[in-house]
């Protein structure tokens, strides 16, 4: 047993990192290792080893990456800590390892885990085991399982090393271990649970081949609330409630024709004076729309688990800190991601609440090692939600709402780039464009609200949060009005560039009313049909007429003799693109991170090779990488459906 605590920390978006972290923490005692705390990186301050002058110890960090290299929203304060700490010895008492989760469909694969790994080492911590980079694109388990085997060996070696060297006086170790190992008390008022007398062994399953059952990280109890009880605005844990902004729709316009194939709306929302968004609002910023589950799905969910949606629920962390007190229906609507595919650990727990033995066996098989193929084919590949699983595979399940609150991820905000300018449109006005995605919670809700607004019907408030983003902080127009820049944004990728240009127009009017505008701005925009989905056509053509936009280059991929894409137009104007780079200009790309962004990246490398590197392809690629490092080549990309569904 290690004399020092082994703390397990996680940063998660969909719950994968948390499930792996809980598994590691739960298995520590059985491995005869020193079990410390299990907590999110957002609560890092509770871990003594992360405080200057705190105790020695170990940290096993499991962290995921979202978007094109972004950290989960909840751990941004921790990421800022890694950047701001200047004393390189501040974490010298810490020994750590990192398991990074990511997806190779994104260029910045496992970027958050890599940053955490590098940041901890920079602050003086010692890496005792190599970082693991797991790829969700091919299956996390291909890396996770062997990495875990190596972790146990590495930790055992650490215990042996500590035994040989002898314990050194450490602060707070016993206190931390006692806190972590103390049994969790059950609240007598917790929602009623069903206790099963039949064990998994009696059902024919090997406990060793099933996921571990973790102690809950939160508890829920029903309260007797009086008539004056007022529920909070939101109970979602994905963001700090203090940054929520309440806005109302003030304008809406359909940007595409009804037969365009993909419907795109322009919407404007306005905050009142007390909710001004100016502090976080600059061209290029993205805003999160706080999403609620579909009301029909909420009712189906509550009905099948037989829970009264009007009951008032108090939810607290295992530390005792309060999360929120609100009606059960509000937690089901705002907190639980009802469309998330359940993790195996949740299926394992749900099986204990199935009144039907066959249903219980089915869930146990799906979450077992022997049911790996069925879990992938029946649940993951079909994107089967918890509501569908309850209805189709376990209708007799009567698990308490606290289990789903504990193990399902929060409904994630949906992010949209501002297409407006605070200088031109006002600090309390935000405009953005969105494509209506089939079965998309946010886009379907927003499109219905836009339709209601145009009909003069009342609409619900839109709840917004501003993203304090690290990776996109350079995605904004140049400070100097003398800097040339190129914008590449097909489809809704054009949205932030409209904001760039509106800001430029406001600055020209304010700063250079009688001064010629010498810098060059080129926008490469792509759409399918000129008469169906040419987004913001009138605005962009007017900006070109006034000289705010030097050149609007449109690629039409349908309706002509030949399909033309933005990358084709880039090749046609290769020398101009190269001239912008040679003159110290910038290149911005926004849109789909799959085919478009990758093709544009290759074309740009080729242009630089031909016009700046005497035809040397490797030097062209290297030059493009250098431009990215200098923030002169900046991208805001997403993969279909994940940016604004």
């Amino acid at each position: 047993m290690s004399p020092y605590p082994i703390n397990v920390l996680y940063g998660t978006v969909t719950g994968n990192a948390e499930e792996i972290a809980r598994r590691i923490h739960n298995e520590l005692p059985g491995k005869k290792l020193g079990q410390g705390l299990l907590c999110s990186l957002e609560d890092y301050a509770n871990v003594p080893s992360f405080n200057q002058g705190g105790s020695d110890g170990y940290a096993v960090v499991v962290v995921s990456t979202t978007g094109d290299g972004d950290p989960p929203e909840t751990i941004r304060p921790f990421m800022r800590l890694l950047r701001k700490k200047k004393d390189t010895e501040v974490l010298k008492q810490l020994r750590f390892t990192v398991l990074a989760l990511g997806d190779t469909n994104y260029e910045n694969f496992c970027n958050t885990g890599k940053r955490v790994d590098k940041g901890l080492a920079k602050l003086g911590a010692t890496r005792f085991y190599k970082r693991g980079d797991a790829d969700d694109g091919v299956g996390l388990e291909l890396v996770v399982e062997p990495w875990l085997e190596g972790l146990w060996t590495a930790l055992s070696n650490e215990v042996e090393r500590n035994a040989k060297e002898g314990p050194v006086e450490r602060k707070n170790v016993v206190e931390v271990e006692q806190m972590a190992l103390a049994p969790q008390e059950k609240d007598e008022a917790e929602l009623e649970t069903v206790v099963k007398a039949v064990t998994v062994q009696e059902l024919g399953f090997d406990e060793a081949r099933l996921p571990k059952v973790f102690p809950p990280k939160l508890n829920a109890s029903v309260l007797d609330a009086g008539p004056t009880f007022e529920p909070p605005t939101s109970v979602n844990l994905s963001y700090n409630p203090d940054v929520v902004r309440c806005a109302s729709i003030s304008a809406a316009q359909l940007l595409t024709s009804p037969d365009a194939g993909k419907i795109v709306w322009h919407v404007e929302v306005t905050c009142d004076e007390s909710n001004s968004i100016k502090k976080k609002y600059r061209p290029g910023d993205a805003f999160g729309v706080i999403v609620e589950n579909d009301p029909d799905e909420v009712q189906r969910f509550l009905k099948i688990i037989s829970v009264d949606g009007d009951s008032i629920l108090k939810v607290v962390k295992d530390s005792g800190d309060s999360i929120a007190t609100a009606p059960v229906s509000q937690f089901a609507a705002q907190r639980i991601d009802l469309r998330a595919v359940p993790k195996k650990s949740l299926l394992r727990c749900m099986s204990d609440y199935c009144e039907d033995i066959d249903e219980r066996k089915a869930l146990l098989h799906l979450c077992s090692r022997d049911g790996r193929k069925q879990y992938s084919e029946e649940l993951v590949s079909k994107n089967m939600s918890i509501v569908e699983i309850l209805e189709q595979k376990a209708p007799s399940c009567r698990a308490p709402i606290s289990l789903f609150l504990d193990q399902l991820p929060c409904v994630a905000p949906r992010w949209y780039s501002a297409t407006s300018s605070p200088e031109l449109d006002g600090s309390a006005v935000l405009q953005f464009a969105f494509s209506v995605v089939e079965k998309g919670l946010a886009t379907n809700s927003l499109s219905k609200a836009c339709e209601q607004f145009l009909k003069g019907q009342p609409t619900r408030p839109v709840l917004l949060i501003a993203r304090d983003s690290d990776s996109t902080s350079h995605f904004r127009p140049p400070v100097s009005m003398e800097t040339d820049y190129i914008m590449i944004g097909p489809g809704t990728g054009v949205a932030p560039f409209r904001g760039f240009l509106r800001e430029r127009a406001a600055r020209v009017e304010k700063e250079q009313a009688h001064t010629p505008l010498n810098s060059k701005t080129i926008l490469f925009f792509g759409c399918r049909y000129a008469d169906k989905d040419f987004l913001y056509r009138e605005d962009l053509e007017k900006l070109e007429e006034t000289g705010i936009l030097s050149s609007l280059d449109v690629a039409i991929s349908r309706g002509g003799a030949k399909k033309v894409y933005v990358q084709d137009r880039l090749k046609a104007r290769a020398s101009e693109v190269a001239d912008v780079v040679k003159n110290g200009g910038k290149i911005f790309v926004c849109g789909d991170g799959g085919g478009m962004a990758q093709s544009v990246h290759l074309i740009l490398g080729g242009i630089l090779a031909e016009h700046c590197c005497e035809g040397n392809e490797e030097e062209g690629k290297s030059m493009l990488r250098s431009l990215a490092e200098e923030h002169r080549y900046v991208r805001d990309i997403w993969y279909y459906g994940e940016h604004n569904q």
Side-chain angles (χ1 to χ4, degrees):
M1 181 77 71
S2 170
Y4 315 129
I6 300 173
N7 302 304
V8 185
L9 299 98
Y10 59 86
T12 191
V13 177
T14 62
N16 284 327
E18 181 180 353
E19 181 174 19
I20 295 169
R22 297 180 88 178
R23 172 183 170 185
I24 293 170
H25 185 261
N26 194 68
E27 292 185 13
L28 286 169
K31 303 287 185 181
K32 295 184 167 43
L33 298 167
Q35 188 186 47
L37 297 173
L38 169 69
C39 69
S40 168
L41 283 169
E42 66 179 312
D43 298 321
Y44 70 89
N46 295 329
V47 181
S49 300
F50 281 92
N51 296 320
Q52 191 163 5
S55 70
D56 290 277
Y58 292 88
V60 178
V61 181
V62 186
V63 64
S64 63
T65 295
T66 182
D68 190 32
D70 291 336
E73 291 293 323
T74 54
I75 72 165
R76 290 184 182 277
F78 175 76
M79 302 304 290
R80 286 195 291 271
L81 169 83
L82 295 183
R83 292 201 317 270
K84 291 181 179 179
K85 288 283 188 182
K86 295 181 179 179
D87 183 355
T88 55
E89 297 299 311
V90 71
L91 295 181
K92 64 181 179 181
Q93 76 278 13
L94 179 69
R95 297 177 71 82
F96 77 96
T97 185
V98 175
L99 174 61
L101 310 185
D103 188 331
T104 47
N105 284 316
Y106 294 85
E107 183 177 354
N108 292 312
F109 172 61
C110 285
N111 186 55
T112 302
K114 294 173 182 177
R115 289 172 59 192
V116 171
D117 184 58
K118 182 179 179 180
L120 291 176
K122 187 177 179 181
L123 296 179
T126 302
R127 187 183 299 104
F128 74 87
Y129 178 51
K130 66 181 181 180
R131 187 187 73 239
D133 295 338
D135 181 10
D136 197 28
V138 297
L140 294 174
E141 67 278 358
L142 296 179
V143 169
V144 171
E145 295 303 327
W147 187 87
L148 288 176
E149 290 299 319
L151 173 67
W152 303 131
T153 301
L155 285 172
S156 296
N157 291 338
E158 289 292 310
V159 171
E160 184 178 343
R161 181 183 64 81
N162 290 330
K164 289 180 180 179
E165 294 179 359
V168 181
E169 184 179 354
R170 320 268 172 166
K171 301 177 183 178
N172 302 326
V173 175
V174 175
E175 178 184 338
V176 172
E177 289 186 344
Q178 287 177 344
M179 186 192 310
L181 295 174
Q184 295 200 346
E185 297 179 0
K186 295 286 184 181
D187 192 321
E188 293 181 357
E190 186 175 346
L191 294 174
E192 181 182 1
T193 61
V194 181
V195 179
K196 292 296 177 184
V198 181
T199 66
V200 294
Q201 289 84 0
E202 291 173 321
L203 292 175
F205 290 88
D206 181 356
E207 188 75 60
R209 300 186 69 78
L210 293 170
K212 301 291 184 181
V213 177
F214 305 119
K217 62 181 183 296
L218 56 80
N219 294 299
S221 55
V222 176
L223 298 182
D224 231 349
T228 59
F229 173 75
E230 293 187 11
T233 302
S234 176
V235 294
N236 192 304
L237 306 184
S238 293
Y239 45 80
N240 183 340
D242 294 337
V243 303
V244 175
R245 298 289 180 262
C246 185
S248 57
I249 296 179
S250 50
Q253 178 187 353
L254 193 60
L255 295 179
T256 54
S257 63
D259 59 345
K262 184 181 291 185
I263 302 300
V264 180
W265 283 91
H266 165 83
V267 62
E268 174 183 288
V269 296
T270 304
C271 297
D272 60 34
E273 289 300 321
S274 62
N275 279 314
S276 174
I277 52 181
K278 187 173 183 179
K279 287 184 179 179
K280 295 288 184 183
Y281 181 19
R282 296 170 63 188
D285 281 351
F287 280 80
V289 173
I290 299 175
V291 184
E292 292 189 6
N293 287 305
D294 184 273
D296 176 62
E297 288 182 83
V298 171
Q299 292 306 313
R300 286 160 56 196
F301 171 69
L302 294 178
K303 180 180 179 181
I304 202 164
I305 62 173
S306 299
V307 174
D308 180 6
D310 294 328
S311 299
I312 305 300
L313 201 63
K314 180 179 181 180
V315 179
V316 298
K317 294 182 180 179
D318 54 4
S319 63
D321 296 336
S322 176
I323 292 175
T325 300
V328 169
S329 58
Q330 186 177 3
F331 278 105
Q334 298 178 342
R335 167 64 178 84
I336 303 171
D337 189 347
L338 294 179
R339 295 193 177 184
V341 177
K343 308 302 178 193
K344 292 182 180 181
S345 56
L346 175 55
L347 298 181
R348 169 68 179 85
C349 293
M350 286 171 57
S351 70
D352 289 339
Y353 299 94
C354 288
E355 297 174 353
D356 185 282
I357 292 295
D358 289 335
E359 290 175 15
R360 190 179 183 203
K361 286 182 177 180
L363 291 186
L364 287 171
H365 178 69
L366 284 170
C367 70
S368 70
R369 295 182 186 177
D370 301 311
R372 183 180 299 170
K373 181 179 179 182
Q374 288 85 348
Y375 175 80
S376 177
E377 292 178 350
E378 296 179 26
L379 304 191
V380 179
S381 64
K382 295 179 180 179
N383 202 30
M384 204 169 196
S385 70
I386 186 64
V387 176
E388 293 170 327
I389 290 172
L390 284 167
E391 290 177 338
Q392 299 175 29
K393 295 186 178 294
S396 72
C397 181
R398 297 297 179 268
I401 187 73
S402 57
L403 176 65
F404 301 103
L405 285 167
D406 186 58
Q407 295 215 23
L408 282 172
C410 292
V411 184
R414 303 311 198 251
W415 295 95
Y416 303 92
S417 298
T419 190
S420 49
S421 157
E423 291 293 329
L424 193 64
D425 302 299
S427 62
V429 173
L430 172 70
Q431 300 171 356
F432 56 89
F434 65 92
S435 299
V436 181
V437 179
E438 185 181 0
K439 297 183 179 180
L441 280 178
T443 62
N444 279 303
S445 175
L446 285 170
S447 63
K448 289 176 183 176
C450 289
E451 291 170 358
Q452 290 172 338
F453 176 83
L454 292 179
K455 292 176 182 177
Q457 299 173 354
T459 60
R460 293 180 61 186
V462 178
L463 299 181
L464 303 170
I465 54 175
R467 168 177 278 172
D468 182 13
S469 176
D470 298 321
S471 66
T472 59
S473 60
H474 298 282
F475 191 82
R476 57 185 81 262
V479 174
S480 172
M481 294 288 284
E482 299 300 316
T483 302
D484 297 340
Y485 59 96
I486 292 170
M487 299 161 285
I488 305 166
T492 53
V494 75
F497 299 135
R498 177 179 180 267
F500 280 29
L501 295 167
R502 289 175 73 80
E503 182 84 354
R504 184 176 173 86
R507 289 187 61 183
V508 166
E509 183 177 350
K510 181 179 179 181
E511 303 171 13
Q512 300 180 344
H514 305 291
T515 304
L517 195 58
N518 297 319
S519 57
K520 180 184 295 185
T521 54
I522 304 173
L523 171 61
F524 291 92
F525 170 70
C527 61
R528 292 187 175 187
Y529 301 95
D531 58 343
K532 294 182 180 181
D533 56 358
F534 191 151
L535 308 184
Y536 295 115
R537 180 171 188 167
E538 185 177 336
D539 289 351
L540 296 175
E541 290 179 344
K542 184 176 181 180
L543 287 164
E544 186 180 29
E545 287 175 12
T546 58
I548 299 300
L549 174 60
S550 305
S551 175
L552 172 61
D553 198 320
V554 183
I556 309 295
S557 62
R558 303 288 190 276
K562 181 182 178 182
K563 293 182 179 180
V564 181
Y565 299 98
V566 289
Q567 50 266 40
D568 298 318
R569 296 306 308 151
L570 283 168
K571 289 176 69 175
R573 301 179 64 173
S575 61
E576 290 180 78
V577 172
D579 286 342
V580 168
V581 173
K582 291 175 183 177
N583 293 332
K586 295 188 174 185
I587 300 174
F588 297 94
V589 181
C590 183
D592 173 36
M596 184 279 295
Q598 293 179 19
S599 297
V600 165
H601 187 81
L602 292 173
I603 293 298
L604 289 173
I607 289 173
L608 295 179
E610 180 181 356
H611 294 272
C612 304
C613 303
E614 299 181 347
N616 189 309
E617 292 186 5
E618 290 304 316
E619 288 187 12
K621 294 176 183 178
S622 177
M623 186 175 180
L624 193 59
R625 287 194 296 269
S626 296
L627 290 176
E629 292 170 1
E630 297 167 11
H631 309 302
R632 292 175 55 202
Y633 171 46
V634 190
R635 308 197 302 171
D636 181 10
I637 63 175
W638 63 86
Y639 288 81
Y640 178 73
E642 68 102 35
H643 187 264
N644 60 355
Q645 63 182 355

